């Protein structure tokens, strides 16, 4: 772990201010909130300590002499070694050690005022144990990942084109449409305008039925294999109802874990596109078990966020474990447009419905971009009307030519996709901003310790893989920042890759006093 704190870095000027030095020890290190009244004679002695520190450094007994001079409690040799190694060489070493202490106080205690009291008498071994998992050296963790034994039972990968058949809603769609097709055949109803005979349609639905059966069998076997693994590193929280959601989840997971940042770590992760459980109770128990066992949760922000996915995020933070929220970032509208133009009609219908209800909540830049690209509300309204007419007449949404037949009757599809791309871009940007800096529940409490844990937001798979590696290897870098105006602000331990607060400490004294009086005693 690497910690930075610009406030402490700039606290003692080149003039070696005595008052700043006292503040550094008394407030920032020992965690005292009240101002210490130091006599002029004592300030002269402290000034001598500053000079000796800069000229010759301080060892363990001399540092304790400084603490006693400031009427503070002494620390153990193990605590001194943990922060300063064998000797303090100068004031910079002192500041760096205190910055490190405050970083660990953030991570493990969620406050400063009694972290010093908890740690000051511990041996080095006891300190390393108390501050786990954050105190474990990176090289030690990396070695343990790379030397893991191989899995005996490996997941049998379901192809991206078939993972959609692993969904409950897919099966419901198939059952409903196959039943309707049977009625068409029995009544000898014509589908001449549809461009295919009912017999050809029946053959295709028979193939779909067999694919669903085979996919379900493989996914259930994969679930049994997940249950045999003796460890699990990452859980993926996602909402998958429609075919494009399965596809996007598959692509994200595949890109993430094949990246160079993670490929050498022999990671084990729960891939929801490859797993199936046929009753909701077992599914809930299995996913709860995976959340308990995994070290980290990746929360995929999608079109719709569900209670299940949000509960998994909250449950992870409540265990004191990190959550990475992946929010797609659309930088190239043309590229995104080319991607979604091949999606099923249901995708465009769902997005249009969302545009009708959510567009007003977006900023003025959204409206300007829509206008500059020649997109207006009538484009969306017209598509919805035509889509509903089409679906009423031709209810076979799983048929591979369904989209092609509709587009023969609709001329503005490319422009509609442009409108959807613009909406998706602004919608994802808004949700990323909400998670990163607006929503109060993006910081939640570790139930055991009371530490406030924040979500880390990333916008692309490459950044996600780099951040995940640093989380798993205890290699994160943090900047301590003060947010708001004193004395009513908060201290935030901001993770540098995501720019998000990973831990927070409020300066509201009444809240702090009440919280820690009640929380741990409860």
């Amino acid at each position: 772990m690497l910690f930075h704190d610009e406030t402490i870095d700039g606290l003692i000027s080149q003039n070696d201010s005595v008052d700043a030095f006292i503040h550094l020890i008394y407030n920032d290190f020992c965690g005292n909130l009240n101002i210490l009244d130091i006599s002029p004679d004592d300030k002269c002695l402290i000034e001598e300590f500053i000079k000796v520190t800069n000229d010759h450094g301080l060892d363990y007994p001399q540092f304790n002499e400084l603490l006693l001079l400031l009427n503070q409690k002494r620390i153990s040799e193990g605590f001194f070694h943990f922060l300063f190694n064998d000797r303090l060489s100068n004031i910079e070493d002192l500041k760096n050690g205190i910055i490190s202490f405050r970083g660990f106080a953030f991570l493990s205690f969620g406050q400063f005022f009694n972290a010093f009291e908890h740690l000051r008498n511990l041996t080095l071994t006891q300190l390393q144990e108390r501050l786990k998992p954050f105190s474990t050296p990176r090289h030690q963790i990396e070695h343990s990942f790379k030397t893991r034994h191989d899995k005996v039972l490996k997941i049998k990968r379901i192809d991206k084109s078939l993972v959609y058949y692993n969904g409950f809603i897919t099966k419901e769609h198939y059952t409903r449409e196959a039943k309707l097709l049977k009625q068409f055949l029995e009544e000898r109803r014509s589908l001449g305008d549809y461009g295919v005979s009912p017999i050809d349609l029946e053959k295709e639905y028979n193939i779909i039925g067999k694919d669903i059966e085979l996919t379900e069998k493989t996914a259930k076997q994969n679930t049994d294999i997940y249950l045999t693994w003796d460890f699990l590193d990452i859980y993926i929280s996602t909402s998958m109802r429609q075919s494009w959601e399965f596809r996007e989840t598959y692509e994200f997971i595949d890109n993430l874990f094949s990246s160079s940042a993670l490929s050498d770590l022999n990671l084990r992760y729960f891939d929801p596109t490859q797993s199936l459980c046929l009753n909701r109770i077992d599914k809930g128990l299995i996913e709860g078990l995976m959340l308990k066992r995994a070290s980290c949760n990746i929360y995929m922000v999608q079109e719709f966020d569900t209670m299940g996915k949000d509960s998994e995020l909250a449950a992870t933070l409540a265990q004191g474990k990190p959550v990475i929220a992946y929010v797609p970032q659309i930088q190239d509208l043309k590229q995104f447009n080319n991607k979604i133009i091949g999606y099923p009609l249901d995708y465009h219908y769902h997005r249009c419905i969302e545009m009708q209800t959510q567009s007003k909540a977006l900023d003025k830049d959204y409206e300007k971009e829509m206008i500059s690209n020649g997109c207006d509300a009538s484009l969306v309204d017209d598509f919805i009307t035509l889509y509903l007419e089409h679906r009423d007449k031709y209810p076979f949404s799983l048929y591979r030519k369904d989209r092609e037949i509709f587009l023969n009757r609709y001329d503005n599809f490319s422009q509609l996709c442009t409108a959807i791309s613009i909406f998706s871009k602004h919608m994802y940007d808004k949700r990323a901003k909400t998670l990163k800096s607006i929503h109060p529940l993006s910081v939640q409490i570790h139930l055991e310790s009371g530490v406030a844990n924040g979500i880390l937001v990333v916008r692309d798979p490459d950044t996600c893989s780099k951040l995940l590696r640093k989380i798993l290897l205890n290699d994160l870098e943090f900047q301590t920042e003060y947010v708001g105006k004193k004395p009513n602000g908060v201290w935030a331990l901001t993770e540098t890759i995501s720019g998000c607060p990973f831990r927070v400490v409020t300066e509201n004294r009444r809240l702090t006093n009440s919280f820690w009086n009640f929380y741990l005693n409860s």
Side-chain angles (χ1 to χ4, degrees):
M1 296 290 184
L2 185 60
F3 303 99
H4 305 281
D5 189 328
E6 293 179 357
T7 303
I8 290 180
D9 278 337
L11 188 60
I12 301 176
S13 67
Q14 293 180 347
N15 296 325
D16 295 330
S17 163
V18 172
D19 289 335
F21 186 84
I22 293 170
H23 185 280
L24 179 68
I25 301 295
Y26 188 77
N27 296 91
D28 295 323
F29 185 50
C30 298
N32 294 291
L33 299 177
N34 299 317
I35 298 174
L36 180 65
D37 185 18
I38 300 290
S39 69
D41 289 341
D42 285 344
K43 285 190 176 183
C44 290
L45 295 175
I46 293 167
E47 191 171 5
E48 187 175 338
F49 257 102
I50 295 173
K51 185 176 185 308
V52 169
T53 302
N54 274 328
D55 292 345
H56 307 290
L58 296 178
D59 59 19
Y60 161 64
Q62 292 169 328
F63 185 74
N64 273 331
E65 291 173 17
L66 171 63
L67 292 177
L68 290 174
L69 181 62
L70 290 169
N71 297 320
Q72 301 305 299
K73 295 178 180 178
R74 301 171 80 250
I75 65 172
S76 69
E77 190 169 2
F79 191 22
F80 182 87
H81 181 82
F82 183 78
L83 295 179
F84 309 116
N85 294 316
D86 294 328
R87 185 175 179 81
L88 268 168
S89 298
N90 48 43
I91 294 294
E92 288 303 312
D93 280 354
L94 175 63
K95 289 194 292 187
N96 289 335
I98 291 175
I99 289 171
S100 179
F101 160 73
R102 285 170 64 84
F104 281 109
F106 257 122
L107 293 171
S108 297
F109 291 89
Q111 34 80 9
F112 307 127
F113 65 90
N114 68 359
F116 175 80
E117 191 62 31
H118 274 83
L119 300 177
R120 69 180 187 85
N121 281 325
L122 300 184
T123 65
L124 182 60
T125 301
Q126 289 171 331
L127 277 162
Q128 291 168 339
E129 186 66 28
R130 175 62 182 83
L131 296 175
K132 279 185 177 180
F134 309 109
S135 59
T136 307
R138 181 193 63 79
H139 68 273
Q140 183 178 324
I141 301 173
E142 188 172 18
H143 177 74
S144 69
F145 276 120
K146 292 183 176 181
T147 56
R148 279 177 169 175
H149 60 75
D150 200 9
K151 300 183 284 286
V152 175
L153 298 176
K154 297 183 180 180
I155 297 302
K156 184 177 180 181
R157 296 289 294 175
I158 301 168
D159 188 76
K160 181 170 67 173
S161 63
L162 298 175
V163 288
Y164 174 42
Y165 294 146
N166 200 20
F168 290 107
I169 291 181
T170 308
K171 192 169 184 179
E172 290 175 359
H173 283 177
Y174 168 76
T175 302
R176 182 174 62 252
E177 293 182 11
K179 183 178 179 180
L180 192 60
L181 177 59
K182 185 178 180 181
Q183 292 176 2
F184 270 62
L185 292 169
E186 290 173 349
E187 298 169 6
R188 297 185 179 182
R189 293 167 62 180
S190 173
L191 284 170
D193 292 341
Y194 207 48
V196 65
S197 72
I199 300 300
D200 291 338
L201 198 58
E202 182 184 34
K203 289 180 181 178
E204 185 160 332
Y205 270 72
N206 286 339
I207 293 173
I208 293 173
K210 291 177 182 178
D211 284 341
I212 289 175
E213 184 178 345
L214 180 61
T215 302
E216 282 188 348
K217 181 180 178 181
T218 303
K220 286 189 289 185
Q221 289 176 342
N222 285 342
T223 300
D224 289 339
I225 292 172
Y226 282 128
L227 290 172
T228 68
W229 285 356
D230 57 349
F231 46 80
L232 188 75
D233 301 304
I234 301 104
Y235 182 88
I236 315 292
S237 290
T238 181
S239 300
M240 297 183 299
R241 300 292 185 271
Q242 310 296 338
S243 61
W244 58 89
E245 293 170 333
F246 277 85
R247 173 180 171 177
E248 290 174 351
T249 301
Y250 182 102
E251 290 174 347
F252 168 72
I253 293 174
D254 190 52
N255 290 335
L256 178 67
F257 290 104
S258 63
S259 70
S260 58
L262 299 175
S263 58
D264 64 326
L265 294 183
N266 299 322
L267 297 178
R268 298 193 186 184
Y269 54 92
F270 179 75
D271 183 346
T273 70
Q274 305 295 313
S275 173
L276 178 67
C277 189
L278 293 181
N279 76 72
R280 68 182 184 90
I281 302 301
D282 285 356
K283 179 177 175 63
L285 291 172
I286 288 170
E287 293 180 353
L289 174 63
M290 298 300 168
L291 283 169
K292 175 66 175 176
R293 300 184 64 212
S295 303
C296 179
N297 181 7
I298 298 176
Y299 174 92
M300 293 185 64
V301 174
Q302 296 161 288
E303 300 164 39
F304 302 102
D305 296 327
T306 61
M307 181 185 77
K309 187 170 67 172
D310 290 347
S311 297
E312 290 171 349
L313 178 150
T316 305
L317 292 176
Q319 295 178 70
K321 298 175 182 178
V323 172
I324 300 174
Y326 166 66
V327 188
Q329 185 172 33
I330 300 172
Q331 295 179 317
D332 189 330
L333 284 177
K334 185 176 180 180
Q335 184 181 38
F336 188 78
N337 190 72
N338 291 337
K339 173 184 173 182
I340 65 170
I341 205 166
Y343 277 16
L345 292 177
D346 284 359
Y347 167 83
H348 305 92
Y349 171 70
H350 283 288
R351 296 306 267 175
C352 285
I353 293 295
E354 194 175 5
M355 288 170 73
Q356 285 184 330
T357 58
Q358 301 294 326
S359 293
K360 291 181 180 179
L362 298 177
D363 56 29
K364 292 183 179 180
D365 289 338
Y366 165 72
E367 296 178 14
K368 291 178 181 178
E369 194 164 1
M370 289 287 279
I371 293 171
S372 67
N373 282 274
C375 302
D376 56 35
S378 65
L379 191 69
V380 171
D381 297 338
D382 291 346
F383 174 83
I384 291 174
T385 300
L386 290 172
Y387 171 86
L388 292 176
E389 290 175 358
H390 170 77
R391 189 57 67 227
D392 182 60
K393 189 174 183 181
Y394 301 116
F396 303 108
S397 64
L398 296 177
Y399 179 49
R400 56 189 164 81
K401 290 187 177 181
D402 175 67
R403 176 176 163 278
E404 176 186 328
I405 293 163
F406 174 82
L407 294 183
N408 288 333
R409 295 168 171 81
Y410 181 66
D411 298 328
N412 294 324
F413 191 64
S414 178
Q415 190 70 4
L416 177 77
C417 288
T418 298
I420 292 174
S421 298
I422 295 169
F423 171 76
S424 300
K425 169 189 171 183
H426 287 270
M427 182 270 293
Y428 281 131
D429 288 348
K430 179 186 176 185
R431 294 172 84 174
K433 182 179 179 181
T434 298
L435 279 175
K436 191 169 183 177
S437 58
I438 296 176
H439 203 297
L441 292 183
S442 62
V443 175
Q444 296 193 29
I445 302 300
H446 177 203
L447 294 179
E448 184 178 337
S449 68
V451 174
N453 305 316
I455 300 169
L456 304 178
V457 179
V458 297
R459 303 299 308 274
D460 63 83
D462 184 56
T463 303
C464 186
S465 66
K466 292 175 182 176
L467 177 57
L468 181 58
R469 182 183 182 91
K470 286 186 170 291
I471 286 173
L472 295 171
L473 298 184
N474 257 359
D475 197 27
L476 290 170
E477 187 171 350
F478 299 103
Q479 175 68 51
T480 299
E481 299 174 321
Y482 191 84
V483 182
K485 295 182 179 180
K486 283 184 172 291
N488 299 312
V490 297
W491 288 101
L493 187 68
T494 301
E495 192 281 319
T496 55
I497 291 179
S498 64
C500 294
F502 190 60
R503 296 287 190 269
V504 291
V505 174
T506 180
E507 281 214 329
N508 184 321
R509 292 197 181 185
R510 179 159 295 149
L511 172 58
T512 297
N513 184 59
S514 181
F515 187 94
W516 293 109
N517 266 282
F518 284 119
Y519 196 89
L520 295 181
N521 288 335
S522 298

